[in-house]
Amino acid sequence: MDMGLDLNAPHSMGTTIIGVTYNGGVVLGADSRTSTGMYVANRASDKITQLTDNVYMCRSGSAADSQIVSDYVRYFLHQHTIQLGQPATVKVAANLARLLSYSNKDMLQTGLIIGGWDKYEGGKIYGIPLGGTLLEQPFTIGGSGSSYLYGFFDQAWKEGMTKDEAEQLVIKAVSLAIARDGASGGVVRTVIINSEGVTRNFYPGDTLPIWHEELEPRNSLLDILSTSSPEPMST
Amino acid sequence: MNSIDSTPAKNSLLSSEIGSERTLYPYVTGTSVIGIKYKDGILMAADMGGSYGSTLRYKSVERLKSIGKHSLLGASGEISDFQEILRYLDELILYDNMWDDGNSLGPKEVHNYLTRVMYNRRNKFNPLWNSLVLGGVKNGQKYLGTVSMIGVHFEDNHVATGFGNHLARPILRDEWHENLSFEDAVKLLEKCMRVLLYRDRSAINKLQIAKITEEEVTISQPYSLKTFWGFSAFQNPTKGAEGSW
């Protein structure tokens, strides 16, 4: 039973994705691992996809399915924006994604988080899990890594956070999920959306906290050996 | 045993080869809904949980919604299908209002519409994976009915879906009577909801109770029930029989 290199296995984004509202906007976060069976096909993927200037979508599940859904939603939203004459609302983007997810529920395997800012409702987060349910929430988590975060968010989530508090929470959470979920890994990406615009951030491993049973990364054993003398190597 | 609510069994006889649209199994589900008739109308209760398999994933899902002026709909089962049903009903009520003839669809009509929708989908092997409770009052007439995902439908003085059928209805059969006051009806519903909280793994302690009378529809704010664990039998149940449970 070769659990290793099945290169024909569907590309799945094991994933950890998070969307959080704060007083003034939203913060979206995700890991960057795309796996094909046990092989990591892409270790630096970007799972936070732009739909419009002010609305972004976190993708999880099947990479192919989520990419095609996001492409269709972007296409429809673009036309909608032209017809409307002003930026599309987050609600419309979310409902379009729901329509595609629900109507194709037997074929698609993708969980989505839509987040953005519009002038009518401010920052909003919508979760669209498997099946095509649409739920507006103050925050939501998704992907395989999210299993490890339910307890964390129950304890750590607070209403009315600042932008920095919200981003720190998201980074901490994705980082914790990466520590335990084999299907999540790589870097932590965040996207902050508010009335002023969109900010993309990138947090590689060395900027993240060290968790239980993890060690500070080193260049080499040789560094350790050279710094300490007596009996550094033991049997 | 013929149960009204089908368990999501993966039946190879029912699924086809091509990617046809059929709900194979539900993803995000709501648990029991209970409805009872009382003196002034109908009372319905449901918790606010949306389960994802065994995970209690969503805890603020509104499973009781008002339909038009005269009806209240409660749903258990797949939430995305419930949201789709609400869209169908939105359109139904809109077209009814557009007649602008002073007439409006009552609970009996809405129940019948839902029955047709659910049964026709069942016949196409593509059910809406819900069990619905539809209640309302029109022209002084109280109405309470239920429709299942396979189109089984009936009316009664008290109805329930899912676990509610097994845990709540026996209580209601014993303690329901004609002309319950609002207070007694609420207490009765809460008694049932508490039992469900103790015994249904997918129940959460956050519920809403909805009331519909001739005059108005109200859906309560979410609230939690007290639970009781201080029984001497619970204190040390394995004393004298260590290792037992």
Side-chain angles (χ1 to χ4, degrees), chain A residues 95 102-103 105-106 134 141, chain B residues 20-21 57 81 83 87:
Chain A
N95 274 106
Y102 182 77
S103 337
K105 64 157 77 187
D106 57 321
L134 174 69
I141 55 180
Chain B
S20 64
E21 188 188 305
R57 184 160 182 184
D81 286 345
Q83 292 181 339
R87 280 168 186 266

Side-chain angles (χ1 to χ4, degrees), chain A residues 95 98 102-103 105-107 129-135 137 141-142 150, chain B residues 19-23 27-28 52 57-58 78-81 83-84 87 128:
Chain A
N95 274 106
R98 178 214 78 100
Y102 182 77
S103 337
K105 64 157 77 187
D106 57 321
M107 288 188 283
L130 260 47
T133 312
L134 174 69
L135 286 167
Q137 298 163 282
I141 55 180
Y150 286 100
Chain B
S20 64
E21 188 188 305
R22 72 168 309 265
T23 308
Y27 290 100
V28 182
Y52 190 80
R57 184 160 182 184
Y58 301 104
E78 169 67 45
I79 302 296
S80 66
D81 286 345
Q83 292 181 339
E84 194 72 358
R87 280 168 186 266
L128 289 160

